């Protein structure tokens, strides 16, 4: 049990170190909040691939070090980079997908980096609530009072 615990601590330390390295690389704190969100979105879409063959790739570790994850890995990675960059961000979850909600200067926007990456566009980037759900068809049948974690 001690070996497993020590491995977990080392893994968490590696994650934290890499998150801060990315923050410095992107020079996030020299950017405005809107520019930070864009830089984070673009970094993730350029450096992470959807793990079509392995739906078990869900962790922040997988997103950072294996660069292959499913939607929750994208969402958690996005939230982690926003968090260390002082951007209010939440992971939004329903029965079969996960994406992000950011709040900048009191305004709420939704971002689905998974779909943007897989589709090769920015269709699901920084959209207000109604516009996001109007074009995010797989999820319009779900309760709009979605829960966040």
């Amino acid at each position: 049990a001690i070996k497993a615990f020590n491995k977990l601590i080392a893994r968490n330390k590696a994650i934290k170190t890499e998150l801060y390295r990315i923050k410095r690389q992107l020079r996030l704190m020299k950017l405005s909040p809107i520019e930070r969100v864009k830089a984070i979105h673009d970094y993730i879409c350029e450096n992470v691939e959807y793990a079509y063959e392995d739906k078990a790739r869900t962790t922040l570790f997988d997103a950072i070090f294996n660069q292959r994850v499913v939607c929750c890995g994208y969402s958690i990675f996005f939230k982690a980079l926003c968090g260390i960059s002082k951007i209010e961000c939440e992971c939004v979850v329903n029965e079969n997908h996960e994406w992000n909600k950011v709040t900048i200067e009191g305004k709420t926007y939704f971002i689905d980096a998974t779909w943007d990456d897989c589709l090769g566009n920015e269709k699901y980037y920084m959209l207000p609530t109604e516009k996001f759900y109007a074009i995010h068809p797989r999820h319009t049948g779900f309760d709009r009072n979605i829960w966040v974690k």
Side-chain angles (χ1 to χ4, degrees):
I2 290 177
K3 270 188 171 183
F5 179 75
N6 288 338
K7 185 177 179 181
L8 180 63
I9 296 298
R11 194 175 192 173
N12 287 341
K13 193 175 201 178
I15 288 169
K16 183 177 179 181
T17 299
E18 188 62 11
L19 287 171
Y20 280 95
R21 185 199 66 75
I22 294 166
K23 177 183 170 185
R24 284 188 307 277
Q25 174 189 330
L26 298 178
R27 303 173 58 117
L28 293 175
M29 299 318 291
K30 296 194 183 280
L31 303 174
S32 71
I34 297 264
E35 291 169 328
R36 276 181 243 160
V37 170
K38 177 74 168 126
I40 291 166
H41 172 272
D42 292 353
Y43 180 86
I44 291 172
C45 288
E46 290 168 11
N47 291 282
V48 176
E49 290 183 30
Y50 193 84
Y52 291 100
E53 75 295 339
D54 189 357
K55 303 295 187 212
R57 291 199 179 260
T58 60
T59 68
L60 182 55
F61 186 89
D62 286 328
I64 293 172
F65 295 105
N66 299 321
Q67 299 176 321
R68 296 184 67 74
V69 287
V70 293
C71 58
C72 55
Y74 278 84
S75 180
I76 292 166
F77 194 13
F78 193 92
K79 181 180 177 176
L81 285 172
C82 283
I84 65 167
S85 302
K86 301 187 184 328
I87 300 292
E88 186 179 332
C89 180
E90 300 171 17
C91 295
V92 183
V93 182
N94 73 16
E95 295 168 349
N96 63 358
H97 193 52
E98 187 166 328
W99 58 97
N100 297 93
K101 175 176 115 175
V102 296
T103 304
I104 298 174
E105 298 173 3
K107 294 182 181 173
T108 298
Y109 303 95
F110 289 88
I111 299 166
D112 190 331
T114 306
W115 283 19
D116 281 350
D117 184 35
C118 292
L119 297 173
N121 62 34
E122 293 181 0
K123 184 176 179 180
Y124 303 98
Y125 175 73
M126 292 293 284
L127 298 175
T129 305
E130 289 308 311
K131 190 168 183 183
F132 182 82
Y133 286 105
I135 66 167
H136 211 257
R138 288 190 188 169
H139 309 292
T140 56
F142 291 98
D143 182 1
R144 296 276 176 106
N145 297 313
I146 46 187
W147 56 279
V148 295
K149 66 177 182 179

